[in-house]
Amino acid sequence: MPAVSFALSSLLAVAGFCQAESVVDFARLPLERVGRVRVITSQSPEADRTFAEKEGTLALTRSVGHRGRLARLWLVGGHPRAKLRAYFDGSIVPAFAERLAIGFEDGRPPLLSFWTFGPDRAAGARVSYPPLSYRSEANVTISSAVTAYEIELVEDEPTEQASLPPLAQSASFDLPSVEIPPGEARPLGEADGEGTVELLTLIPEVFTDGDLATSRLRITFDGAASPQIDASLEHLFARTKLSVPLEGLAVRVAEAELQLRLPMPFARGCRVELRNDGARTVKLRATADVSRGSLTPQSLRLSIREWKSSGSAIPLAQVRGGGHWLGFTCRSNTGASAIASGHLVVEADGAVAYRSISMASAFDGGETFGKNPYLTIGVGLTEVEESSFHGLCLRLTRPIRYQQSLRAAAMLPSGVSAEMSGASFGYERAAPAPKAAPVGASGTSR
């Protein structure tokens, strides 16, 4: 009987994971963003909360004169019987009206359980990623006050970008097993021409947990001078142990397989290699799912770069150019509960695009943040120790776009200092193709 129960639980977990994928449109992720992410929190100016329902409930947010979608709800506290409502496009009938306890625990439509998380699944918070769109107006209210909230809308996103034709049929390739001596790099595979790597799976053969920190995945697109993806497997997959599964949407670890599931477009070729900075030889093989469909002019290139810092203000990303930011993974030598009351601040083109209520809220957590591992839609803590943690915070449903620059930093609580490291994830504009040398030109200047 226990074996049957375990099998049933595993089946339900996989089913929930597959359904949660519908919240994130992977085909859209590489496309340059047009819509604007708007964040309204319990610390926003009062002008953002001018709407109130006739029955006297409290206004949480309002959007008028914009096409958009409700991308994220995060709530802490509040009476279990408080009713959360959303009204769209002037309708007097709510798109949903749910008690906090029932709506987030039972997961009735539209707050379905595979994209909605109650306090037991989100470290004391209530979080939902409802894929609900509106044409011109959105109002969210609640019948009694909560302790804190964050609501994220994506406004003015063109409909033609919201529904794309499916990707061309992809083919799966088995990449040969490679042994990588200490201090060396070996190619895992190459592709020429145009296409998208939809899924890259690394399968360690001679590998220990310690090799995660010293093995670096490096991927170069379109003949760039340096890899656009260059990160240790530890930072890429937010973990120090292979044996603990991670059912994330963007990155997964299961049955000694590590999967990077973010689309990786390339126009003139792609090269994948692994570098071994450890003291022992490692061996692994890989598989890749590649689509040869044509790219759109708006296709950006996936960028994953490492960062490391210490102190009370931790820079996570500093980018020049244009693109959109997905978020980060991190490892800290300070316990998660110690940094919970800090803030994540993201600036796009010099203006604050997101300032979290707390570091806990940035990770979808609440009152029990830092106690145990948990995972929502690409966000959570993957490993929790008393004096350290690994986490990931990937904004898969609402990337932050920028035209000229982006800066992100973790601002820790007063008196708290930490050493942190990780990887920053984003999509950046492709570098221009190198100009062909004139016919008959030599390498000698005149």
Side-chain angles (χ1 to χ4, degrees):
M1 186 68 178
V4 174
S5 299
F6 177 78
L8 179 59
S9 298
S10 300
L11 180 63
L12 291 174
V14 171
F17 172 81
C18 293
Q19 290 173 313
E21 285 186 350
S22 65
V23 184
V24 180
D25 187 346
F26 281 96
R28 271 195 77 243
L29 274 182
L31 294 187
E32 189 164 10
R33 265 8 195 205
V34 177
R36 177 178 73 108
V37 176
R38 182 176 173 215
V39 185
I40 301 95
T41 77
S42 48
Q43 297 175 350
S44 296
E46 195 66 31
D48 280 329
R49 300 192 295 274
T50 57
F51 172 85
E53 194 184 359
K54 291 181 179 179
E55 295 93 86
T57 58
L58 306 176
L60 298 183
T61 186
R62 188 184 193 197
S63 174
V64 178
H66 301 277
R67 175 189 295 274
R69 57 185 170 89
L70 179 59
R72 175 179 177 254
L73 290 163
W74 174 87
L75 306 165
V76 165
H79 194 281
R81 291 185 58 80
K83 184 165 282 191
L84 183 69
R85 298 180 177 92
Y87 299 87
F88 296 148
D89 304 323
S91 175
I92 61 173
V93 178
F96 64 79
E98 286 289 347
R99 305 283 183 192
L100 289 185
I102 298 174
F104 286 83
E105 298 294 344
D106 290 353
R108 297 201 299 259
L111 301 183
L112 296 172
S113 59
F114 46 83
W115 59 59
T116 295
F117 305 86
D120 59 329
R121 300 171 63 201
R126 292 182 171 92
V127 188
S128 184
Y129 292 84
L132 296 175
S133 299
Y134 53 91
R135 293 185 300 274
S136 60
E137 181 180 350
N139 295 290
V140 181
T141 69
I142 195 165
S143 61
S144 62
V146 294
T147 305
Y149 65 85
E150 293 182 8
I151 299 175
E152 296 188 57
L153 309 170
V154 179
E155 296 178 335
D156 300 325
E157 194 171 50
T159 54
E160 61 268 18
Q161 287 203 16
S163 56
L164 293 171
L167 289 173
Q169 186 172 0
S170 60
S172 183
F173 298 90
D174 291 324
L175 307 181
S177 177
V178 293
E179 287 191 2
I180 309 171
E184 297 188 20
R186 292 286 188 272
L188 299 180
E190 293 187 48
D192 57 9
E194 185 177 29
T196 299
V197 179
E198 298 175 3
L199 173 67
L200 178 66
T201 303
L202 305 178
I203 307 169
E205 295 180 325
V206 178
F207 217 80
T208 67
D209 287 344
D211 295 327
L212 288 168
T214 56
S215 299
R216 303 182 65 81
L217 180 67
R218 304 174 67 181
I219 305 179
T220 305
F221 306 116
D222 304 333
S226 59
Q228 288 96 330
I229 297 175
D230 190 354
S232 71
L233 299 186
E234 178 187 291
H235 286 152
L236 192 62
F237 294 95
R239 64 203 312 93
T240 59
K241 298 180 179 65
L242 277 170
S243 56
V244 181
L246 168 62
E247 288 295 331
L249 291 181
V251 293
R252 295 181 68 197
V253 178
E255 298 180 0
E257 294 184 349
L258 301 100
Q259 292 187 335
L260 178 58
R261 307 184 68 245
L262 295 172
M264 293 173 266
F266 55 91
R268 302 183 302 279
C270 171
R271 176 183 171 88
V272 182
E273 66 178 7
L274 197 80
R275 178 173 177 82
N276 178 12
D277 290 327
R280 57 188 296 277
T281 297
V282 299
K283 182 179 181 181
L284 78 165
R285 58 189 177 88
T287 65
D289 292 354
V290 181
S291 165
R292 286 298 188 173
S294 298
L295 305 186
T296 72
Q298 294 79 31
S299 290
L300 307 179
R301 301 298 178 264
L302 180 62
S303 170
I304 304 176
R305 296 191 176 92
E306 289 189 319
W307 54 269
K308 183 177 181 180
S309 186
S310 60
S312 58
I314 308 291
L316 309 175
Q318 296 189 28
V319 187
R320 294 287 179 185
H324 54 259
W325 191 62
L326 292 183
F328 64 99
T329 62
C330 69
R331 181 182 186 180
S332 172
N333 69 346
T334 300
S337 56
I339 70 163
S341 60
H343 305 278
L344 173 63
V345 180
V346 183
E347 295 180 1
D349 300 325
V352 174
Y354 175 64
R355 186 182 191 277
S356 66
I357 292 288
S358 63
M359 285 302 294
S361 70
F363 283 93
D364 279 355
E367 296 160 348
T368 59
F369 176 75
K371 303 297 183 182
N372 296 292
Y374 66 96
L375 197 64
T376 62
I377 302 294
V379 184
L381 300 184
T382 57
E383 295 179 348
V384 175
E385 305 291 342
E386 185 175 349
S387 58
S388 65
F389 73 92
H390 255 108
L392 49 82
C393 178
L394 298 178
R395 303 172 54 88
L396 301 176
T397 62
R398 68 258 186 251
I400 294 176
R401 70 170 179 136
Y402 57 96
Q403 298 295 324
Q404 299 175 331
S405 66
L406 180 131
R407 297 179 60 191
M411 310 302 292
L412 305 187
S414 177
V416 175
S417 179
E419 181 178 308
M420 300 177 73
S421 60
S424 172
F425 290 63
Y427 282 93
E428 299 177 4
R429 288 181 187 148
K435 294 183 179 179
V439 176
S442 69
T444 306
S445 61
R446 296 184 179 180

